[in-house]
Amino acid sequence: MGICVRWHEKIGLVVIALIGGFVLVACLGSGVPATLTGSPSARSSATITPSIAPPTAPSVSPAAKSTLPPTITPRLAPPTLTPLPTLPACYVPHPALWQVTPPIESDWHRYTLQWESDSVVKYLIEEHHDCETGCCTATWARYVLAGATTTFTETVCPTPGEMMPFFASMQQVEVTEDDLTYSATISPDGSRALIVVETTEPVPALKLGDWESEAEKFYQGWIIYRDGSSPLPLFYTVEDMFRFQWAPDSRHLIIDAYCYGGEGILVQGIGLLVVDVDSSVTYTIADEYYGLCEGSISYQVAPDSRHLIYEPGIVATLDGSEQVRVCDEGREARSYTWSQDGQYAYVACFTSRAEPDTLSRYDTQTGENLILAGPDCGLTFKAIEMAVSPGQTHVAFVWGNTTFMPVEPYGVWMLDLTLANGCQ
């Protein structure tokens, strides 16, 4: 009896197998492709852009045309898809915030964000300096708020003979071009230049630095005029570790110390100073200031030359008589920038490196200090570089933790202030 049962079971299995074979042949004959178990599923051939696109209105796509079934090509390995970008840990999706480009692979890269109009911003991709010619070739990306990005390259070279009128004027003080120790710094309007020369007997002037030991040589700073007016001895120093920058008005010269080593370990120079070249009056903005130390951020002068802002986020008049801390107590600036008219200072304030920033806007005319964006408004970001559009509707910034060999670099981002109104 048991043998018969097993025999009938075998007959049943054969019948089932035959029926399954007929069905399979019918399916193949009808043109329906069979799905192979364990084969890779179909993947889109579209390129995945590793960035977060700005919010756009949905569009209606035309109906896809019918196509023949794809041919399955044998592969030695499964296809590799472009991975999505790694997003910041504190990132929270918001309509006012999106990524323009992933980070450029460089520890010391600066994007030098610049707005060309209310809808176009450019950022630096790479640059190359030619030591022989002095030319600088830079590759830029130009981003339009609508979403398109293009690249272009430009080369800037020194103007031949640009310094000749100034060197001719220096003959009045018996100084020649061979005595130049610093490269000359020409004012924005081209009317004057600061030239630093080496000398054994400095002319009496403002002394920079606190070096008290006897010295065999000094560095003398002269203001030389293009029209041939008498040169002005502006300062002298034993130390050669200072930075000099003209304000946009070509009247004020900003002098600051810089250091080598974090937190001012090896400090050269002294504080942050502003010199009114026309009146030869010097103003001390800060007794201690290390604007060029690793991890620090440099001061920025307002475009109208009425104020400057310096770390930890203090807005000061150029004579130092009025100084306002923009960030709340216990907070400091991760970065800052000016509106193009010089009236508003935009400051990204933070409590700790790990926490996101709040964006404050300080009005130098009224003293009003507003928080425009931050975690309390549902917007999280960390800005190590910023630039505000001419109409002050958008802020382009570089997402990062610190400017020192950038930690958490996440490229260039955009903040639409018209959509970030939860804090006001």
Side-chain angles (χ1 to χ4, degrees):
M1 181 65 179
I3 296 175
C4 293
V5 171
R6 287 193 297 269
W7 176 253
H8 286 297
E9 289 177 350
K10 292 182 179 180
I11 295 176
L13 291 174
V14 172
V15 172
I16 293 174
L18 291 174
I19 295 174
F22 289 132
V23 172
L24 177 61
V25 172
C27 291
L28 293 174
S30 62
V32 178
T35 301
L36 302 180
T37 304
S39 63
S41 58
R43 299 174 185 264
S44 171
S45 61
T47 302
I48 299 177
T49 303
S51 63
I52 299 175
T56 56
S59 59
V60 179
S61 302
K65 298 180 179 180
S66 59
T67 58
L68 294 175
T71 302
I72 300 178
T73 303
R75 296 179 181 270
L76 297 178
T80 302
L81 290 181
T82 303
L84 289 174
T86 302
L87 296 178
C90 66
Y91 169 70
V92 177
H94 192 284
L97 184 67
W98 68 90
Q99 188 184 54
V100 172
T101 179
I104 294 173
E105 295 182 1
S106 173
D107 289 340
W108 294 98
H109 183 74
R110 297 294 178 266
Y111 290 83
T112 317
L113 299 168
Q114 298 175 28
W115 284 91
E116 297 183 331
S117 68
D118 273 330
S119 60
V120 180
V121 64
K122 70 175 185 179
Y123 56 89
L124 185 64
I125 298 178
E126 63 179 357
E127 61 181 344
H128 173 71
H129 295 271
D130 190 322
C131 297
E132 294 184 0
T133 64
C135 298
C136 176
T137 300
T139 301
W140 296 84
R142 181 179 283 121
Y143 173 77
V144 181
L145 289 181
T149 301
T150 56
T151 60
F152 64 97
T153 299
E154 61 183 9
T155 299
V156 178
C157 297
T159 303
E162 187 177 21
M163 291 302 303
M164 293 305 297
F166 299 106
F167 288 133
S169 297
M170 289 187 67
Q171 295 178 4
Q172 301 178 48
V173 292
E174 298 181 353
V175 173
T176 66
E177 183 177 353
D178 294 335
D179 297 316
L180 182 65
T181 57
Y182 277 28
S183 59
T185 305
I186 303 177
S187 63
D189 65 0
S191 65
R192 60 189 80 183
L194 170 69
I195 297 180
V196 181
V197 299
E198 184 178 322
T199 180
T200 56
E201 297 181 2
V203 177
L206 169 70
K207 180 185 178 182
L208 299 179
D210 53 5
W211 189 277
E212 298 296 342
S213 302
E214 294 184 2
E216 296 181 355
K217 64 179 180 180
F218 300 86
Y219 302 98
Q220 181 97 54
W222 291 89
I223 298 297
I224 310 297
Y225 299 90
R226 182 181 291 273
D227 62 6
S229 301
S230 298
L232 171 70
L234 193 65
F235 63 82
Y236 76 93
T237 180
V238 176
E239 306 164 43
D240 61 351
M241 304 288 281
F242 291 91
R243 179 176 62 157
F244 310 98
Q245 178 180 339
W246 287 99
D249 63 1
S250 297
R251 172 176 175 173
H252 293 89
L253 190 71
I254 296 89
I255 305 174
D256 68 327
Y258 64 94
C259 66
Y260 185 80
E263 302 298 329
I265 294 176
L266 298 176
V267 179
Q268 305 291 332
I270 177 172
L272 177 61
L273 308 174
V274 174
V275 181
D276 186 332
V277 174
D278 288 348
S279 63
S280 298
V281 176
T282 302
Y283 306 100
T284 299
I285 306 300
D287 291 325
E288 295 185 1
Y289 173 76
Y290 313 123
L292 290 180
C293 287
E294 289 89 339
S296 61
I297 52 177
S298 178
Y299 68 85
Q300 291 189 26
V301 183
D304 62 0
S305 299
R306 295 178 181 271
H307 298 81
L308 60 77
I309 184 171
Y310 65 96
E311 203 172 17
I314 299 175
V315 173
T317 53
L318 288 196
D319 62 3
S321 61
E322 298 179 11
Q323 302 204 27
V324 177
R325 186 178 181 122
V326 177
C327 300
D328 295 336
E329 193 66 30
R331 299 173 65 82
E332 59 183 280
R334 199 189 305 268
S335 65
Y336 35 65
T337 190
W338 287 98
S339 61
Q340 293 191 9
D341 60 4
Q343 179 176 346
Y344 298 95
Y346 288 78
V347 186
C349 305
F350 73 98
T351 303
S352 69
R353 296 288 184 189
E355 296 181 4
D357 301 341
T358 58
L359 179 63
S360 295
R361 184 186 66 193
Y362 176 73
D363 188 335
T364 60
Q365 294 185 6
T366 66
E368 182 182 47
N369 192 15
L370 292 177
I371 295 179
L372 303 180
D376 292 341
C377 319
L379 279 161
T380 56
F381 64 95
K382 299 177 184 179
I384 57 174
E385 292 182 52
M386 288 196 301
V388 180
S389 63
Q392 302 181 57
T393 58
H394 292 79
V395 177
F397 68 93
V398 178
W399 191 311
N401 189 326
T402 172
T403 57
F404 178 56
M405 303 203 53
V407 181
E408 302 179 14
Y410 292 105
V412 178
W413 291 64
M414 189 66 63
L415 176 59
D416 186 342
L417 295 179
T418 65
L419 301 178
N421 54 7
C423 287
Q424 301 180 23

